[in-house]
Amino acid sequence: MALVNEHFLKLSNSYLFSDIAKKVHAFNVVYPKAKLIRLGIGDVTRPLPPACIEAMHRAVDELADASTFHGYGPEQGYGFLIDAIIKHDFTKRGISISPSEVFISDGAKSDTGNIGELLRWDNSMAITDPVYPVYVDSNTMCGRTGSLDENGRWSNVTYLSCTEENGFIPALPNHRVDLIYLCYPNNPTGTTLTRDQLKLWVDYALENDTLIVFDAAYEAYITEPDVPHSIYEIRGAKKVAIEIRSFSKTAGFTGVRCGYTVVPKEVTASDIKGNRIPLNSLWNRRQCTKFNGASYITQRGAEAIYTPEGQQQVKQTIDYYMENARIMREGLTDAGFKVYGGVNAPYIWLKAPKGMTSWNFFEKLLYEVNVVGTPGVGFGPSGEGYLRLTAFGKREDCQEAMQRIRRWKF
Amino acid sequence: MALVNEHFLKLSNSYLFSDIAKKVHAFNVVYPKAKLIRLGIGDVTRPLPPACIEAMHRAVDELADASTFHGYGPEQGYGFLIDAIIKHDFTKRGISISPSEVFISDGAKSDTGNIGELLRWDNSMAITDPVYPVYVDSNTMCGRTGSLDENGRWSNVTYLSCTEENGFIPALPNHRVDLIYLCYPNNPTGTTLTRDQLKLWVDYALENDTLIVFDAAYEAYITEPDVPHSIYEIRGAKKVAIEIRSFSKTAGFTGVRCGYTVVPKEVTASDIKGNRIPLNSLWNRRQCTKFNGASYITQRGAEAIYTPEGQQQVKQTIDYYMENARIMREGLTDAGFKVYGGVNAPYIWLKAPKGMTSWNFFEKLLYEVNVVGTPGVGFGPSGEGYLRLTAFGKREDCQEAMQRIRRWKF
């Protein structure tokens, strides 16, 4: 008989978002006429930029004619998109990246989930806590996280707490680890690191020979000048960091599926004998073997993000969401809540009042003002006592939610 | 320091198709004016069916408007596509598949590469030889194949030889294995199994508690009535088989990226204590954690394959390629070659004359008639002495290649 990968069995069967869906469904059964406002899920609502729409129509038409048809593309992505990425996302910021260091994919979630395949299962790892659950779940699947204790912590994971006390800026690990996941701007807290703060992490990685997986999916939401858009703005980072980017939140590509990962040629890990192995060639081999490139139509759409019109249109959408964030921050603060994030990120991290747990506050918000958030504890133990709200909703929904919350006697 | 996954280092750095590209490049440098005809690579050349083009234009337009916008879709794929698949690919053939057993993906290569994650690294496995290299390479990456010997065979893989002597129909393993990959219609030999022949494999799997991964990417090319289109046409297969399908060769989706995998609820593997674990729920967890669904545009395009117009258009394209196959079979046979496949598959398996090796014959064909094939040995040790040609080229190229080969004194 075939034996299952036993590590899969350690994962909980229920997911945060399906638990939420069940509770919302139960509410709906009792109060079918209530007008729910969903500020919980991190999906966008604005349409795609017209430049992307036009580019994708053109790409579809190319596939209709044998003389312009595109079949298999390069597994690593098309040069036209890689060149646009390098020029706009890196060269402009003084970062030198070569085309063979950029790998286009069907989205940051795939890359985030798959990147761990390049490393031995028994490397030690650290995450900031709370954080995007895929880092832990994907590492659990290969056995890297160990076993789960009663407090919801994995035995082989170093949790770097992000709390009100430290301003949600985690301290460096007090020991060395092999692998660290960083996500900035952060999902779910909406916080960022300044250049000096991020430099501490790069220096730690250089000193400790640690690999950083830097998730910059929300880079486009940065508004403050001292917040780096790429980890490669920090000297030395090209030796220690892989950076993952997404077009999902930048340009509304959550349903179109495109992202990219930068694996600099200098980033290495070690074999058992101590030889340094470039991760670039391993990732290339992984992608060539298990992936066949992102859709041509998608890649042409993503290329259009980098045209002057595309850049202008993307900015309008991001401004829309960030105005939502401002409205929500202001409304919540006026109502007496403690609020974090929402300045360089589309996420608002709302402290539950009166020491309530995440789930208690979630239910109170649902039943008393009919607003759906995401319980912070779903992102990790240190998320307990918080709720994540997102700025991706419709303007009128954000406004109405704030009106209800301002009137609310909680 | 982070340690690399040492199994990646066992893989050869060069790929079959890049080796071919290098040799073709060397030829081009010496003979820049030669008109090369490429019959080697398995990529399609006909444009997409008009029904798919129209559906994708409509989908792009939906994404341009907030009221019809689609963000994140279900990781498992949209119901509209899953329903169309079940109705046309299974219900019509008397097979009962439920929607939660079908998982839409960005292509069969991804699923083929990732499915092994569900199983322990030390399960034993068998492949037919020669075969699509992803089965072995993806299992090598997790350590399942063991070590490579001097004859190009992995120590923990059972090779089931497909040779002229057995009509390219492999014998059952003479011992039990945990996992078997079958690909029918076969890439690269173009051969198929009849119902009775496939039944032997399902019965073996039922008796030996073996999991079959059945790759049916070329199902649409079946012309003969006694060749099953799905392994689930065989009684009992839903207990032992996962089936992987692709729209790449059916409808020209090599650049659009869509396929699907069926994981029946009855298919299980065992945990260490002997409990049976449904692979459906493990695959669902894997996809929800490491994948975010195929592009909405792509899924709408794939749905259109199943409309009456789409079916008619797909048939025209397949007829075109199969007429190429007929021309090539006839031309090669007339020229005195031994030829297999090309009846229920777009692949022609050409025996190298006079005991030549695959690579010698490849070079002779390249330099003497300027036709590019794929050396059979690239698909496994038993492929030595063969060359794969594909029927995906342009009609005039197939015709000209056959004219050259008919005149050729080899």
Side-chain angles (χ1 to χ4, degrees), chain B residues 373-388:
Chain B
T374 307
V377 71
F379 298 95
S382 295
E384 181 58 283
Y386 290 87
L387 206 80
R388 189 191 75 172

Side-chain angles (χ1 to χ4, degrees), chain A residues 64-93:
Chain A
D65 186 322
S67 67
T68 53
F69 181 76
H70 283 76
Y72 289 125
E75 284 95 343
Q76 304 86 352
Y78 278 100
F80 61 76
L81 177 55
I82 291 173
D83 290 347
I85 285 167
I86 290 175
K87 183 176 166 194
H88 289 88
D89 289 347
F90 297 102
T91 310
K92 267 191 187 171
R93 299 190 186 281

Side-chain angles (χ1 to χ4, degrees), chain B residues 77-127:
Chain B
Y78 278 100
F80 61 76
L81 177 54
I82 291 174
D83 290 347
I85 285 168
I86 290 176
K87 184 176 164 196
H88 290 87
D89 290 346
F90 298 101
T91 310
K92 266 191 187 173
R93 300 191 186 280
I95 300 163
S96 166
I97 296 286
S98 80
S100 58
E101 294 176 317
V102 178
F103 297 84
I104 310 296
S105 75
D106 67 322
K109 190 180 176 189
S110 302
D111 290 352
T112 308
N114 294 331
I115 198 83
E117 283 183 39
L118 306 190
L119 302 175
R120 268 176 69 99
W121 70 275
D122 55 359
N123 284 282
S124 59
M125 64 176 279
I127 54 158

Side-chain angles (χ1 to χ4, degrees), chain A residues 328-330 332-333 337-342 348-351:
Chain A
M328 290 161 70
R329 278 177 62 88
E330 201 175 284
L332 292 161
T333 307
F337 288 100
K338 278 200 171 176
V339 178
Y340 302 92
I348 296 208
W349 194 236
L350 175 59
K351 191 172 187 191

Side-chain angles (χ1 to χ4, degrees), chain A residues 1-5 43 48 57 61 63 72 109 117-118 120 123 176 178 209 255 257 270 288 296, chain B residues 1-5 43 48 57 61 63 72 109 117-118 120 123 176 178 209 255 270 288 291-292 296:
Chain A
M1 65 204 172
L3 290 173
V4 296
N5 174 348
D43 197 4
L48 291 190
H57 276 309
D61 282 333
L63 302 183
Y72 289 125
K109 189 180 178 191
E117 283 182 39
L118 307 190
R120 268 176 69 99
N123 284 283
R176 74 163 298 286
D178 298 317
D209 199 354
R257 310 305 314 138
S270 178
C288 288
Y296 176 72
Chain B
M1 65 203 169
L3 290 174
V4 295
N5 174 349
D43 197 4
L48 291 189
H57 276 309
D61 282 332
L63 302 182
Y72 289 125
K109 190 180 176 189
E117 283 183 39
L118 306 190
R120 268 176 69 99
N123 284 282
R176 74 163 298 287
D178 298 317
D209 200 354
S270 178
C288 288
F291 181 61
N292 231 331
Y296 176 71

Side-chain angles (χ1 to χ4, degrees), chain B residues 297-325:
Chain B
I297 302 164
T298 295
Q299 291 190 65
R300 281 294 184 196
E303 180 193 20
I305 295 170
Y306 293 103
T307 60
E309 316 82 67
Q311 289 287 292
Q312 179 60 29
Q313 293 156 5
V314 161
K315 186 177 178 307
Q316 281 170 10
T317 301
I318 290 175
D319 287 349
Y320 177 97
Y321 292 135
M322 289 309 280
E323 175 63 8
N324 284 351

